[in-house]
Amino acid sequence: MSSPLKIWHPFTNSALDPAPIEVERAEGVWLSAKGGRKIIDAVSSWWVNIHGHANPRIAEAIAQQARKMEHVILAGFTHEPAEELAARLRKWVAPELTHLFFSDDGSTAVEVALKLAVQHFSNSGRPEKREIVALEHGYHGDTAGAMSVSDDSPFTDPFCTMRYAVHRVHSAYCYRCPVGLRRETCHIECVGQIETLLEERGDKIAAVIVEPLLQAAGGMIVHPVEFLKRVREACSKHDVLLIADEVLTGFGRTGKMFACDLAGVTPDLMCLSKAITGGFLPMGVTLCSDRVEMAFRSENRLHTFYHGHSYTGNALACAAANASLQIFDEEPVFDRIAAIAEITSGRLAQLKELTPVGEVRQIGTIGAIELRTDDAGYLSAMRPKLYQFFLERGVLLRPLGNVVYVLPPYVISPGELNHVYDVILDAIQTVF
């Protein structure tokens, strides 16, 4: 008799990491594990959950849709949930973004954006414009194209031969400034590298891809809004498309519906995923301007965008996304976001005074604490110690190496959120 299949868990080394915790139920911000153990999900289960686990409105919307139609091919067909989602997103996205393309997750939303950018110029008779610019510390997903525009890291190192070359430019990492300045007195000189690159190679560059205002997996690095504004200006000046990867930052995480809204910037392409369905089902969306799409509206069949996924525009996922956006319309979601931001600001100010803390960062509902260490980065030795410390105290936090961050569902109560920060305070005072 063959042995049972064993699940290979993501970002997990079976020789080094503890056995996975079996979760039996989840409700609100709480995970109920086998044996009665309760754990606060302070990272929204990899940043996807915004309205709480088992949200009854989203669950019911999926159930109703499942009884009607679970899925249908979207090539040559359409359906009401997809059309409704397009209409609901229209309320929130910039008017310049006129078309959307469905895919399966954040990585595929990025792949779609990259391919649309390159083929846009090819279809427009400018095939030489095919190079891509990306930022240091960036992370855009785990598929081959998304890995290519992500920075070199333990995530990408084994796959260097699978990644295509991109231009890598400075990020606005103020705590570790790439040009050796201080934010209090600088004039965003870090953006000069990308401005110079576009000046020199704009005729060869198709797109710049950024995580607007917040580089997540790279260490929860918060950018000044001026950085994004100047990237937008440089792209416009040199006819280069700007891709905003809002896979994490979308749907209220930064205090506005989208991070680009905070900077008053409209990208040419925008990638959405994670919270789009409220954390219930996978879905990716890539939005683009009419100008981008027009290059594919052609009598030449070869100008077709030959890209698709089996579950593109899945009706169940669309129903979940529609229910999530309806919650934004009918419940005080942005009041909840503001309350989280206020508590986070106060607690970060307290933690900032601790000697092991190098910097605290905040944007909207997201708080991050970068700890001083000689081995900064995702593989920092303090990560497994902190992770285990938090779990033992009933809080799910997944430090990015020496960076501890809190990214909770919006339904977290003030008491629950303060408890999370109490545990972080205890960890810093105990582990160091």
Side-chain angles (χ1 to χ4, degrees):
M1 182 177 177
S2 61
S3 61
L5 282 171
K6 297 180 180 178
I7 298 172
W8 193 333
H9 294 267
F11 289 81
T12 300
N13 186 318
S14 60
L16 299 174
D17 295 321
I21 297 167
E22 184 175 341
V23 177
E24 295 180 327
R25 293 181 60 85
E27 184 176 2
V29 299
W30 290 95
L31 308 179
S32 298
K34 192 173 183 179
R37 185 178 180 187
K38 296 280 192 176
I39 301 169
I40 294 180
D41 184 354
V43 295
S44 301
S45 283
W46 255 343
W47 320 342
V48 301
N49 193 291
I50 51 177
H51 304 305
H53 292 283
N55 182 282
R57 297 185 65 170
I58 302 176
E60 179 58 24
I62 295 170
Q64 288 186 16
Q65 183 58 47
R67 287 189 286 268
K68 184 177 180 180
M69 180 183 70
E70 80 299 339
H71 181 65
V72 66
I73 184 174
L74 209 66
F77 290 83
T78 190
H79 52 73
E80 183 181 355
E83 297 293 339
E84 180 184 344
L85 181 52
R88 287 188 177 277
L89 284 172
R90 175 70 286 163
K91 171 184 175 179
W92 294 104
V93 303
E96 294 87 348
L97 297 172
T98 56
H99 292 76
L100 68 82
F101 192 98
F102 287 110
S103 61
D104 294 348
D105 56 25
S107 297
T108 56
V110 167
E111 297 280 349
V112 168
L114 295 169
K115 291 175 72 173
L116 284 176
V118 171
Q119 191 176 346
H120 162 81
F121 285 110
S122 178
N123 286 0
S124 302
R126 305 176 68 187
E128 71 281 0
K129 279 178 72 72
R130 58 188 309 105
E131 298 174 6
I132 305 294
V133 180
L135 300 185
E136 294 171 347
H137 310 292
Y139 173 80
H140 298 281
D142 294 329
T143 51
M147 279 199 309
S148 297
V149 293
S150 301
D151 203 358
D152 298 337
S153 72
F155 304 162
T156 61
D157 285 348
F159 314 110
C160 57
T161 58
M162 297 173 61
R163 299 166 70 204
Y164 57 77
V166 303
H167 299 285
R168 191 82 54 194
V169 295
H170 291 325
S171 157
Y173 192 174
C174 298
Y175 180 59
R176 302 178 185 275
C177 177
V179 292
L181 300 175
R182 295 180 60 83
R183 179 67 193 99
E184 297 81 359
T185 56
C186 82
H187 296 92
I188 319 295
E189 282 87 350
C190 54
V191 82
Q193 191 177 35
I194 190 170
E195 291 174 335
T196 299
L197 176 63
L198 296 191
E199 186 75 40
E200 294 174 349
R201 295 194 63 82
D203 60 334
K204 299 290 192 299
I205 293 170
V208 174
I209 184 167
V210 300
E211 297 161 273
L213 302 186
L214 176 71
Q215 292 184 293
M220 294 295 165
I221 301 165
V222 179
H223 292 173
V225 294
E226 295 87 352
F227 180 83
L228 183 58
K229 286 176 179 288
R230 285 178 58 181
V231 172
R232 170 71 277 183
E233 291 167 1
C235 288
S236 299
K237 180 179 178 181
H238 299 288
D239 193 22
V240 170
L241 300 176
L242 175 61
I243 302 171
D245 177 353
E246 294 243 19
V247 167
L248 164 62
T249 52
F251 304 99
R253 289 296 187 191
T254 65
K256 294 286 190 179
M257 196 61 159
F258 302 107
C260 286
D261 298 341
L262 279 174
V265 161
T266 300
D268 301 289
L269 299 110
M270 178 186 285
C271 307
L272 305 177
S273 188
K274 290 199 180 291
I276 191 169
T277 66
F280 272 70
L281 289 166
M283 169 176 277
V285 166
T286 304
L287 298 120
C288 71
S289 66
D290 196 57
R291 179 213 168 182
V292 171
E293 191 273 342
M294 278 188 68
F296 298 82
R297 206 181 309 164
S298 168
E299 296 295 322
N300 185 344
R301 181 66 71 178
L302 294 177
H303 286 179
T304 303
F305 186 50
Y306 287 115
H307 183 104
H309 302 266
S310 299
Y311 284 92
T312 290
N314 175 258
L316 299 179
C318 288
N322 287 325
S324 178
L325 289 173
Q326 191 172 10
I327 290 171
F328 274 97
D329 288 337
E330 299 177 1
E331 297 185 20
V333 177
F334 282 97
D335 290 344
R336 296 167 186 162
I337 288 169
I340 293 170
E342 183 177 1
I343 292 171
T344 297
S345 177
R347 297 308 302 264
L348 289 179
Q350 176 191 21
L351 293 170
K352 185 179 180 180
E353 302 304 314
L354 300 177
T355 300
V357 175
E359 187 187 45
V360 297
R361 300 187 279 271
Q362 180 184 6
I363 184 167
T365 65
I366 303 164
I369 306 102
E370 180 158 349
L371 300 169
R372 302 180 194 275
T373 180
D374 293 331
D375 63 344
Y378 189 80
L379 297 182
S380 172
M382 70 173 60
R383 184 201 174 279
K385 297 176 185 177
L386 289 168
Y387 176 70
Q388 196 60 36
F389 184 98
F390 296 139
L391 279 182
E392 288 171 358
R393 283 154 180 79
V395 178
L396 171 57
L397 292 166
R398 290 180 59 86
L400 296 163
N402 61 307
V403 177
V404 178
Y405 71 91
V406 180
L407 201 158
Y410 303 152
V411 295
I412 195 168
S413 71
E416 291 163 341
L417 184 56
N418 274 304
H419 175 67
V420 170
Y421 279 105
D422 287 342
V423 170
I424 293 173
L425 174 62
D426 190 19
I428 294 173
Q429 293 175 330
T430 303
V431 174
F432 286 86

